[in-house]
Amino acid sequence: MKQEYDSKLTAAEIGTLWFQYMSDSMVLQVLTLFSHQVEDREISPVVEYARGLSQDHLTKITEMLGSENVPVPNGFTSEDVELAAPRLFSDPFFLSYLRNMGRIGLQRYGLALTSSARQDVRNFLHECIRTSAELNEKATSVQLSKGLYVRSPYIPTPERKEIVHASDFMGSLFGKQRPLLAMEIDHIFVNAQSNMLGKALLMGFSQVAKDPDIRDSLLRGKQIAHKHMEVLSSMLIKEDLPAPMNMVSDVTGSTVPPFSDRLMLYHSTMLQAAGLGNYGVSMSMSMRMDIITMYSRLMLEIGQYVEDAAQLSIEKEWMEKPPQAVDRKELALSR
C-alpha cells in the first residue's frame, strides 16, 4: 500500500532532519575509523551496528528532504577521516562512546517526535528511538560482560513512606543541606560520567589538532569538562557516594590526526550542546537550591563555549547555514 504524505515539511521537521543529517554524517566518519581499528570481538559488532544506523539515517533523511526539494547539507565525508592514522582511543572507550550515543539519541529523538506531524518523519523518529534503545542495550550488555559498566551509587532501601514536613527540604545556597535524593544522585552521576567521556575525547582531539586556534578551543573544552567533572563528583564524594572513574587512560599518546579539524570542532560543540540539554533536565528534576544554582552556573559556562566555538567555525568558513525563516522586511524593502 502506498504511503500518503502531507505536502510540506514543517520548520520543526526540516530543522530536525537537517541537524540530524549533520550529526549522523559526522558520527559515520568517527565510527568508520572505530570500525577500522577495533580489535575486541565483542565490541566490534556494536560498532558495526551503530555505523549501520548512521548510514541508514543519512539515506532516509536525504529522501525526506529531497521530497520537498530542501537542500541536503554537505555534512562530513570520507575526506574528514584518515583511516591510516594510529589509534587514538582504546576499545573500551569506543564502547563508552557508543553507549553515550544511544543516550543522546533517545533524548533528541524523543523530543523531536513530539513536534513532528508528518507520518514519514514520525515513522523515522520512532525507528530512531527504537534503535537508540537497542544500541544502548548492546553497549551496556557488553560493558557488563567485561566488567566495564560503572553502576550508579547504591542507597539504603527506604523502610517506609514519608511526608515532607521540614521547611528547609529545598535547602539554601549556604549552610547544612539535606541528603541527596535518589533522582538527584542519578543525574549528578550521569552528568559527571558524561563529562569524563567528554574530557577524554577532547584531550585526544587536542593532541592531534593542526590549527592552533582549533587546538586552543579543544583544550578549553577539555578544561571545562574537567572542571564540571570535579564539581559534580565532589557533590557525591561529600555524601560518601562513589564518583565515576576517570577515562584518561583510554587515550593514547598519538599526535597524528585521524579526523579533520573541522570535524573535531563540530564534535566538541555538539557534545557541549548535549551537555546543556542534560543540565536543563537535571535542574528540573532537582529539589535542592544549591544543586539548581550549580547547574545554572555550569550551563552559563557551556553556553559561552558553544557560542565561541560557533564564532570560530564561522571565521574558518566551516559553518553550513541551517534552514531559516524568510526575512519579510528585507523582502519588502528590496523591491
Side-chain angles (χ1 to χ4, degrees), residues 17 20-21 24-25 28 51-67 72 124:
L17 295 173
Q20 194 55 48
Y21 187 96
D24 270 304
S25 67
L28 178 59
R51 184 167 174 264
L53 293 181
S54 290
Q55 289 176 318
D56 183 59
H57 291 175
L58 294 175
T59 299
K60 291 178 178 176
I61 292 172
T62 299
E63 292 174 356
M64 286 185 283
L65 291 179
S67 71
V72 177
F124 171 68

Side-chain angles (χ1 to χ4, degrees), residues 41-150:
R41 293 182 179 180
E42 289 184 81
I43 298 175
S44 179
V46 187
V47 174
E48 288 301 324
Y49 178 77
R51 184 167 174 264
L53 293 181
S54 290
Q55 289 176 318
D56 183 59
H57 291 175
L58 294 175
T59 299
K60 291 178 178 176
I61 292 172
T62 299
E63 292 174 356
M64 286 185 283
L65 291 179
S67 71
E68 294 299 321
N69 297 316
V70 178
V72 177
N74 295 323
F76 298 89
T77 68
S78 58
E79 295 182 359
D80 292 292
V81 60
E82 178 51 68
L83 298 181
R87 177 186 281 265
L88 186 59
F89 302 107
S90 70
D91 282 4
F93 178 89
F94 295 167
L95 204 53
S96 296
Y97 180 96
L98 293 171
R99 185 160 167 261
N100 193 60
M101 269 184 56
R103 181 188 299 145
I104 292 174
L106 285 170
Q107 294 171 339
R108 288 188 174 179
Y109 297 135
L111 181 61
L113 179 62
T114 62
S115 58
S116 298
R118 215 169 96 160
Q119 188 63 57
D120 58 337
V121 178
R122 287 191 287 121
N123 289 343
F124 171 68
L125 293 172
H126 272 293
E127 181 63 13
C128 288
I129 291 171
R130 185 190 70 79
T131 53
S132 291
E134 183 65 21
L135 174 60
N136 184 73
E137 175 64 25
K138 289 178 181 292
T140 300
S141 294
V142 176
Q143 281 188 326
L144 285 167
S145 71
K146 291 183 170 297
L148 298 172
Y149 187 92
V150 181

Side-chain angles (χ1 to χ4, degrees), residues 27-322:
V27 169
L28 178 59
Q29 306 314 316
V30 174
L31 296 182
T32 297
L33 179 71
F34 289 1
S35 176
H36 183 73
Q37 294 180 335
V38 65
E39 298 174 351
D40 190 286
R41 293 182 179 180
E42 289 184 81
I43 298 175
S44 179
V46 187
V47 174
E48 288 301 324
Y49 178 77
R51 184 167 174 264
L53 293 181
S54 290
Q55 289 176 318
D56 183 59
H57 291 175
L58 294 175
T59 299
K60 291 178 178 176
I61 292 172
T62 299
E63 292 174 356
M64 286 185 283
L65 291 179
S67 71
E68 294 299 321
N69 297 316
V70 178
V72 177
N74 295 323
F76 298 89
T77 68
S78 58
E79 295 182 359
D80 292 292
V81 60
E82 178 51 68
L83 298 181
R87 177 186 281 265
L88 186 59
F89 302 107
S90 70
D91 282 4
F93 178 89
F94 295 167
L95 204 53
S96 296
Y97 180 96
L98 293 171
R99 185 160 167 261
N100 193 60
M101 269 184 56
R103 181 188 299 145
I104 292 174
L106 285 170
Q107 294 171 339
R108 288 188 174 179
Y109 297 135
L111 181 61
L113 179 62
T114 62
S115 58
S116 298
R118 215 169 96 160
Q119 188 63 57
D120 58 337
V121 178
R122 287 191 287 121
N123 289 343
F124 171 68
L125 293 172
H126 272 293
E127 181 63 13
C128 288
I129 291 171
R130 185 190 70 79
T131 53
S132 291
E134 183 65 21
L135 174 60
N136 184 73
E137 175 64 25
K138 289 178 181 292
T140 300
S141 294
V142 176
Q143 281 188 326
L144 285 167
S145 71
K146 291 183 170 297
L148 298 172
Y149 187 92
V150 181
R151 297 176 186 270
S152 177
Y154 291 98
I155 60 173
T157 303
E159 296 179 354
R160 61 185 183 277
K161 302 175 184 179
E162 291 187 70
I163 300 297
V164 175
H165 297 291
S167 59
D168 61 350
F169 183 78
M170 299 293 289
S172 62
L173 297 182
F174 306 101
K176 184 179 179 181
Q177 306 287 354
R178 60 153 172 78
L180 292 170
L181 302 177
M183 188 60 70
E184 292 167 342
I185 294 170
D186 175 48
H187 283 278
I188 292 171
F189 186 87
V190 169
N191 284 319
Q193 200 170 44
S194 297
N195 275 287
M196 287 183 178
L197 176 70
K199 176 188 174 181
L201 184 75
L202 297 183
M203 183 172 72
F205 283 177
S206 65
Q207 290 176 189
V208 299
K210 295 180 180 179
D211 188 307
D213 294 333
I214 306 304
R215 185 185 309 121
D216 289 345
S217 177
L218 294 170
L219 283 171
R220 179 184 168 196
K222 171 201 162 188
Q223 291 164 356
I224 289 174
H226 177 79
K227 173 187 172 183
H228 289 200
M229 177 185 72
E230 288 192 327
V231 170
L232 293 159
S233 295
S234 67
M235 297 202 77
L236 297 172
I237 294 171
K238 283 179 183 177
E239 303 210 18
D240 298 314
L241 295 168
M245 297 185 301
N246 207 314
M247 301 180 66
V248 173
S249 59
D250 289 309
V251 184
T252 73
S254 175
T255 57
V256 179
F259 305 113
S260 68
D261 283 356
R262 174 173 169 263
L263 183 148
M264 291 189 289
L265 180 65
Y266 184 86
H267 202 327
S268 173
T269 307
M270 188 187 77
L271 270 184
Q272 300 287 3
L276 273 176
N278 292 338
Y279 288 166
V281 172
S282 299
M283 184 162 56
S284 70
M285 298 297 291
S286 300
M287 299 184 69
R288 252 176 50 178
M289 288 305 300
D290 62 324
I291 299 175
I292 294 172
T293 302
M294 172 197 70
Y295 281 127
S296 299
R297 187 176 72 251
L298 300 183
M299 288 175 73
L300 284 173
E301 190 168 19
I302 292 182
Q304 186 61 61
Y305 175 81
V306 170
E307 180 183 350
D308 293 344
Q311 287 295 336
L312 180 57
S313 183
I314 292 171
E315 290 172 12
K316 301 293 182 182
E317 298 185 348
W318 290 345
M319 181 179 287
E320 293 190 61
K321 182 184 289 187

